[in-house]
């Protein structure tokens, strides 16, 4: 793959810990404070394509129609205000195809999403990591100055709204493609528990992985070998990084129990097996 120059191949849980927390020491304050955000994918072959791009066809022409109709019919169920950035975050959260991608500040949450699908245990997974602090330095001047004045490296809808009120205005800020990160409002406990934020390119057609390929200093990828996934999964479960926690409610509880009690290949559960969940 063209991005292999920035790939880290781990072979053990210990290797993985070193990779997940690489370059997180901040000598200015004498603390470990990561400048990275993380995205876990079940297959190392998956790239950073948005749900809008995965629609195919002339997807860029559908974006405004999708969002307009979501706002029109969604008002009976929620009141996110007038900001398009609140509506975009809400739409992404509820599965509408958008140009947003989900990220997390937590490397362990990303690791969960790289290992949550037992059907994908026959292939390598991947963790993408982007230095959002460095990425903010390549923003257009008006956006960069707004972040500097706020003392932040990522936007909220309230911070972005005075600078551009529509997706079209965002695109017109600069001809060259750029990346920003948007922290969503706390729509529900899932957003909070997943320590979540979104990435956003200024055009719907922009390919984030191609943009990163031209900026190798901004990212790295951790390749998780298929044979390591079961160990990772068991240790994440012990650390309470599970669907029950990340997706609060009966749905998340059911998904966790279904996965937790699925036997490994070749294993047979006996009637005498004890409950495997503490408590």
């Amino acid at each position: 793959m063209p991005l292999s120059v920035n790939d880290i191949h781990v072979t053990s849980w210990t290797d993985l810990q070193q990779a997940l927390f690489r370059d997180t020491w901040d000598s200015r304050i004498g603390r470990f404070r990561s400048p990275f955000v993380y995205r876990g994918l079940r297959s190392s072959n998956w790239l950073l394509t948005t749900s809008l791009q995965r629609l195919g066809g002339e997807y860029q022409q559908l974006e405004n129609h999708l969002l307009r109709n979501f706002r029109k019919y969604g008002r009976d169920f929620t009141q996110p205000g007038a900001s398009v950035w609140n509506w975009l975050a809400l739409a992404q959260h509820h599965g509408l195809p958008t140009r947003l991608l989900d990220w997390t500040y937590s490397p362990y949450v990303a690791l969960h999403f790289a290992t949550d699908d037992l059907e994908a245990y026959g292939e390598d997974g991947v963790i993408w990591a982007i230095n959002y602090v460095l990425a903010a330095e390549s923003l257009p001047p008006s956006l960069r100055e707004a972040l500097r004045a706020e003392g932040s490296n990522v936007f909220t809808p309230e911070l972005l709204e005075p600078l551009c009120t529509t997706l079209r205005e965002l695109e017109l800020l600069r001809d060259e493609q750029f990346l920003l990160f948007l922290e969503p409002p706390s729509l529900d406990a899932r957003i909070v528990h997943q320590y979540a934020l979104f990435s956003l390119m200024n055009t719907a057609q922009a390919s984030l992985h191609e943009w990163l390929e031209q900026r190798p200093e901004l990212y790295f990828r951790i390749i998780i070998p298929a044979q390591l996934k079961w160990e990772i999964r068991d240790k994440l479960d012990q650390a309470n990084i599970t669907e029950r926690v990340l997706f609060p409610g009966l749905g998340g509880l059911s998904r966790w129990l279904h996965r937790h009690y699925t036997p490994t290949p070749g294993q047979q559960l006996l009637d005498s097996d004890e409950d495997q969940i503490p408590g």
Side-chain angles (χ1 to χ4, degrees), residues 19-20 35 45-46 49 69 101-102 114 119 140-141 147-148 167 178 192 195 211 241 248 264:
L20 287 174
N45 293 320
W46 291 7
T49 53
N69 281 287
L101 280 175
D102 296 273
E119 297 297 321
L147 289 179
R148 188 202 64 79
L167 289 167
F178 61 86
V192 177
Y195 210 179
W211 186 85
I241 308 296
T264 57

Side-chain angles (χ1 to χ4, degrees), residues 23 27 37-38 44 87 95 100-101 110 115 120 128 142-143 146 162 169 173 187 190 204 226 234 253 258 261:
D23 299 331
S27 59
V37 290
Y38 307 88
S44 60
W87 278 101
L100 302 184
L101 280 175
T115 59
W128 291 77
S142 61
L143 298 182
E169 288 181 11
L173 284 177
L187 301 170
R190 192 174 94 190
D234 288 342
L253 174 60
H258 180 276
Y261 281 104

Side-chain angles (χ1 to χ4, degrees), residues 12-273:
S12 68
W13 174 260
T14 301
D15 285 347
L16 179 60
Q17 303 315 300
Q18 292 293 325
L20 287 174
F21 294 97
R22 63 173 290 186
D23 299 331
T24 59
W25 173 254
D26 189 336
S27 59
R28 298 170 303 170
I29 60 174
R31 302 285 296 276
F32 287 93
R33 295 290 173 83
S34 175
F36 293 97
V37 290
Y38 307 88
R39 178 173 171 83
L41 297 174
R42 300 160 188 171
S43 171
S44 60
N45 293 320
W46 291 7
L47 297 175
L48 299 176
T49 53
T50 67
S51 55
L52 181 66
Q53 290 168 339
R54 291 194 294 271
L55 283 178
E58 298 296 325
Y59 62 85
Q60 70 276 8
Q61 298 182 14
L62 301 176
E63 183 177 35
N64 286 330
H65 299 300
L66 285 163
L67 191 57
R68 183 183 67 252
N69 281 287
F70 184 84
R71 295 178 71 165
K72 178 171 67 174
Y73 294 111
R75 293 187 187 277
D76 290 341
F77 306 99
T78 185
Q79 295 296 327
S83 170
V84 67
W85 311 115
N86 274 327
W87 278 101
L88 195 61
L90 183 68
Q92 171 74 6
H93 182 66
H94 286 282
L96 188 77
T98 77
R99 69 170 70 179
L100 302 184
L101 280 175
D102 296 273
W103 296 81
T104 174
Y105 291 109
S106 167
Y108 283 165
V109 170
L111 196 57
H112 166 83
F113 288 109
T115 59
D116 68 334
D117 183 2
L118 300 185
E119 297 297 321
Y121 272 34
E123 55 185 320
D124 296 349
V126 65
I127 303 289
W128 291 77
I130 294 181
N131 190 320
Y132 67 94
V133 177
L134 283 180
E137 296 178 3
S138 64
L139 288 168
S142 61
L143 298 182
R144 194 167 61 248
E145 176 58 26
L147 289 179
R148 188 202 64 79
E150 186 71 14
S152 179
N153 295 293
V154 300
F155 284 93
T156 63
E158 291 78 14
L159 184 57
L160 189 56
E161 179 72 16
L163 303 169
C164 47
T165 60
T166 67
L167 289 167
R168 178 60 176 164
E169 288 181 11
L170 181 70
E171 182 175 346
L172 292 174
L173 284 177
R174 192 169 68 193
D175 292 337
E176 183 183 355
Q177 294 176 353
F178 61 86
L179 168 73
L180 63 84
F181 285 94
L182 180 69
E183 289 185 341
S186 297
L187 301 170
D188 62 19
R190 192 174 94 190
I191 292 287
V192 177
H193 288 205
Q194 293 179 15
Y195 210 179
L197 71 164
F198 301 128
S199 67
L200 172 65
M201 299 293 286
N202 58 314
T203 69
Q205 304 97 309
S207 169
L208 179 52
H209 50 267
E210 292 178 1
W211 186 85
L212 288 171
E213 188 178 3
Q214 304 302 316
R215 298 162 179 83
E217 72 281 1
L218 292 183
Y219 82 97
F220 63 88
R221 302 197 320 160
I222 303 171
I223 306 301
I224 301 167
Q227 62 268 26
L228 195 59
K229 282 187 173 180
W230 278 108
E231 179 182 352
I232 292 170
R233 189 64 261 167
D234 288 342
K235 290 180 176 178
L236 285 179
D237 284 357
Q238 185 176 359
N240 205 28
I241 308 296
T242 70
E243 296 87 345
R244 181 182 64 84
V245 175
L246 300 178
F247 297 89
L250 295 179
L253 174 60
S254 297
R255 288 166 61 180
W256 169 55
L257 291 172
H258 180 276
R259 179 185 52 73
H260 190 88
Y261 281 104
T262 298
T264 57
Q267 175 189 3
Q268 296 295 324
L269 291 181
L270 304 177
D271 292 341
S272 60
D273 285 350

